[in-house]
Amino acid sequence: MQLFGSTDSGHSYKVRSFLLLTNTPHDYQWVDLSNKPSAFLTISPFGEVPVLLDQGQVFCQSNAILIYLAQTSGQFTGGEEWQGAVEWLSWEANRIGFSLPNYRFALHWQPQPAEVMHYLMLRVQADLNMLNDKLATHEFLLESGPSIADISCSAYLFWLDQVGINVADYPNIKRWLAAICQLPGWSHPDTAMIPSPD
């Protein structure tokens, strides 16, 4: 199994995190997104990370890869709450997986007009409020325990400090992230996504 990802990609981190949490043997290949190698572009359907190669098949799009890995490994599926896990993945793609990465990207790498930044921040705050409310009565997003829903929805939240958000303002999220950090095999994205030494 081979994973192509990059340092600042929370979407790549979702997949890398799953593989680390499940102790799944794999080869992590770092991709320079500012100069994507032609070999990578020939296998990546959209020219994006992450891309997973497994048993001769190519898989792309982080949440789709998480679904594949959960189904094939039987881990972090949510058990009888599988439908709920998939629903959270769909929510993440349209909400926190849109607002926070785009705000962070604009803040650090591609400046946008003030009105765009304001709009994105409002979206981020709305998404964080929704998550915080949903976590008020559950340790994880599903009653059954940690699942791909948590892996997906939390990925970019480990970088909240990079966008000037204090996680303490969202106490349920803070507790939830701390619980995820305690899972065996967990690694922060700043560690998990660094390139392997040559």
Side-chain angles (χ1 to χ4, degrees):
M1 187 176 292
Q2 192 171 29
L3 171 65
F4 293 85
S6 196
T7 314
D8 291 302
S9 167
H11 298 301
S12 298
Y13 172 62
K14 296 178 196 178
V15 181
R16 175 78 160 151
S17 187
F18 182 100
L19 296 173
L20 293 173
L21 289 168
T22 56
N23 198 29
T24 300
H26 64 284
D27 175 31
Y28 169 55
Q29 293 290 317
W30 179 78
V31 177
D32 182 355
L33 296 182
S34 65
N35 185 26
K36 300 171 189 174
S38 58
F40 167 74
L41 291 174
T42 61
I43 63 167
S44 176
F46 302 108
E48 300 172 340
V49 291
V51 170
L52 183 75
L53 300 184
D54 187 34
Q55 300 182 38
Q57 288 187 276
V58 177
F59 300 90
C60 66
Q61 300 301 308
S62 60
N63 287 343
I65 297 173
L66 287 179
I67 290 172
Y68 167 76
L69 290 172
Q71 290 180 326
T72 54
S73 71
Q75 300 186 71
F76 290 100
T77 63
E80 294 182 357
E81 296 182 273
W82 171 253
Q83 179 63 26
V86 174
E87 289 170 358
W88 270 113
L89 263 61
S90 296
W91 179 88
E92 188 275 343
N94 185 53
R95 300 300 309 192
I96 200 72
F98 165 81
S99 61
L100 184 53
N102 279 297
Y103 183 79
R104 177 173 171 262
F105 187 75
L107 195 63
H108 293 285
W109 296 288
Q110 194 174 77
Q112 297 296 317
E115 58 269 26
V116 174
M117 299 300 288
H118 178 67
Y119 165 74
L120 288 172
M121 177 50 77
L122 290 178
R123 283 286 302 264
V124 171
Q125 291 170 339
D127 297 339
L128 291 174
N129 284 325
M130 170 69 76
L131 268 177
N132 197 62
D133 289 347
K134 292 295 185 181
L135 288 163
T137 56
H138 296 94
E139 183 178 13
F140 296 99
L141 293 176
L142 303 179
E143 291 187 14
S144 56
S147 69
I148 53 175
D150 302 283
I151 294 172
S152 177
C153 290
S154 69
Y156 275 94
L157 272 58
F158 293 106
W159 285 321
L160 281 176
D161 60 323
Q162 294 186 4
V163 296
I165 294 176
N166 187 348
V167 71
D169 293 337
Y170 304 91
N172 298 324
I173 291 177
K174 181 179 179 180
R175 174 203 44 77
W176 170 61
L177 294 178
I180 292 172
C181 292
Q182 294 303 310
L183 296 174
W186 181 85
S187 180
H188 191 279
D190 288 342
T191 300
M193 304 311 298
I194 59 173
S196 301
D198 293 333

